Amino acid sequence: MSQPESAVADAQAGGRAPESLAALAERYGLRRAIARPSLPAYLRQLWDRRHFILTYATSRNVSKYSESALGQLWQVLTPLLNAAVYWLMFGIILGQSKHIDNYPAFLITGVMVFTFTQRTVTGGAKSISSNLSLIRALHFPRAALPLAYAIQELQQLGWSMGVLILLVLVTGEPISLLWLLIPVALLMQLVFNLGASLFMARIGAFIRDINQLLPFILRTWLYASGVFYMITDKTRGLPDMLRWALEFNPAAAYIEFMRDLLIYQRFPERWAWTTCLFWAVFALIAGFWYFWRAEERYGRG
């Protein structure tokens, strides 16, 4: 009989005062099977499973449109169709195209960039609740799931960016050396999306109603992000405090950053760099820490 088993037997036989199981486990170096690992250990576990994360993201990407006739083309057609509707409503009916040069490129860039964040946040919110059978059957760091969903959206973005650049060229914008900064812009947005996805994954795991509220939240965020209008246009008469709040909006910052590179042929302004970097770092650190704190609770109950 092992030492822990003999100690429990002695206590049950009345040989000495009973010792709590928690204290007994601590005395013999035992720990819970699903105990939350330390943050450095958790990061190592995620790195060790990087191939699983990439493979899982790729397989989801391939299977997502496997039953539709157009297949992977929907990755590009969906944001393009949304842009067409927005162009009709805001560009033609509401007359925004009269005030903004090259409004089609302006609008398509905003839609593509915002869609990247929108899809990542939506996928992250469902990543835990939609994979409970996998979580309860296998032991792995749960952050692998929202990370895989974010990588899936990054893979889809590759197709969208190719179409976006082609459309920008068709609308008359020239190729610029500033386009070399596009990967930098996408990297900052990806880091922000990862943090936001992790944050929403924990909320979605325990508050199921968030999946019903999220479309309304994201729609409000869409309208506040300058997708259809120019936030920095002072002639619109917006109060300075409101305009500064809109500029500090992370989605708006990433959209303006990309427009500066693709359309306006200018180096992004200092506020855009500062805002994009701040939100990327803050979202990743806060989102990862917030998700990790509940690691041992996912899939229980």
Side-chain angles (χ1 to χ4, degrees):
M1 182 180 297
S2 63
Q3 284 185 325
E5 291 174 342
S6 63
V8 172
D10 290 343
Q12 292 175 342
R16 58 182 176 179
E19 186 177 9
S20 68
L21 290 178
L24 188 64
E26 182 179 0
R27 182 153 62 91
Y28 287 99
L30 303 180
R31 56 195 301 268
R32 288 178 296 165
I34 59 172
R36 183 183 69 229
S38 66
L39 194 56
Y42 195 66
L43 290 170
R44 288 194 299 270
Q45 291 177 12
L46 282 173
W47 177 252
D48 291 340
R49 290 162 178 81
R50 61 190 182 279
H51 300 298
F52 161 74
I53 296 173
L54 180 59
T55 302
Y56 184 69
T58 303
S59 63
R60 280 187 51 84
N61 208 3
V62 172
S63 63
K64 185 174 183 180
Y65 302 102
S66 60
E67 297 181 358
S68 62
L70 296 179
Q72 300 294 316
L73 285 177
W74 283 112
Q75 298 178 10
V76 177
L77 288 177
T78 300
L80 285 179
L81 291 174
N82 286 332
V85 173
Y86 297 145
W87 176 76
L88 176 63
M89 294 299 299
F90 293 91
I92 302 301
I93 297 178
L94 297 180
Q96 286 293 318
S97 58
K98 299 177 182 179
H99 309 291
I100 299 175
D101 294 335
N102 197 354
Y103 189 72
F106 177 93
L107 178 61
I108 293 170
T109 302
V111 170
M112 291 290 191
V113 173
F114 186 84
T115 298
F116 179 34
T117 294
Q118 180 186 41
R119 285 179 170 178
T120 305
V121 170
T122 301
K126 299 177 181 179
S127 61
I128 299 298
S129 58
S130 299
N131 292 280
L132 290 178
S133 59
L134 180 64
I135 291 173
R136 290 167 179 169
L138 300 174
H139 178 69
F140 62 94
R142 309 317 187 195
L145 293 174
L147 292 179
Y149 277 65
I151 293 175
Q152 176 191 351
E153 297 304 329
L154 178 64
Q155 293 174 339
Q156 294 186 9
L157 182 68
W159 294 89
S160 299
M161 286 303 301
V163 174
L164 173 60
I165 291 174
L166 178 61
L167 291 175
V168 168
L169 291 173
V170 169
T171 57
E173 300 297 339
I175 298 176
S176 169
L177 288 176
L178 288 173
W179 288 16
L180 296 175
L181 289 176
I182 290 176
V184 177
L186 294 179
L187 177 61
M188 289 190 293
Q189 187 181 5
L190 173 63
V191 173
F192 168 77
N193 289 354
L194 289 173
S197 178
L198 288 163
F199 183 85
M200 291 305 302
R202 174 171 173 176
I203 294 178
F206 304 117
I207 306 176
R208 301 302 173 83
D209 290 339
I210 193 64
N211 291 324
Q212 308 304 321
L213 294 173
L214 195 57
F216 300 98
I217 297 173
L218 290 174
R219 192 173 302 129
T220 303
W221 195 11
L222 171 71
Y223 293 136
S225 299
V227 174
F228 319 112
Y229 58 91
M230 188 177 295
I231 290 176
T232 55
D233 186 2
K234 297 182 180 180
T235 63
R236 298 182 62 86
L238 292 176
D240 287 341
M241 289 299 296
L242 177 58
R243 182 165 53 82
W244 291 338
L246 292 176
E247 289 178 357
F248 193 63
N249 171 2
Y254 294 118
I255 290 171
E256 289 301 317
F257 198 102
M258 189 65 71
R259 283 172 176 161
D260 283 344
L261 299 178
L262 283 175
I263 303 174
Y264 303 129
Q265 310 295 321
R266 67 190 181 197
F267 194 78
E269 298 181 18
R270 181 182 300 176
W271 75 265
W273 279 100
T274 303
T275 306
C276 290
L277 285 171
F278 168 80
W279 279 115
V281 174
F282 175 79
L284 182 62
I285 294 176
F288 191 88
W289 180 86
Y290 182 69
F291 183 90
W292 165 77
R293 290 286 297 174
E295 174 70 14
E296 58 192 2
R297 295 169 53 197
Y298 300 124
R300 302 185 65 181

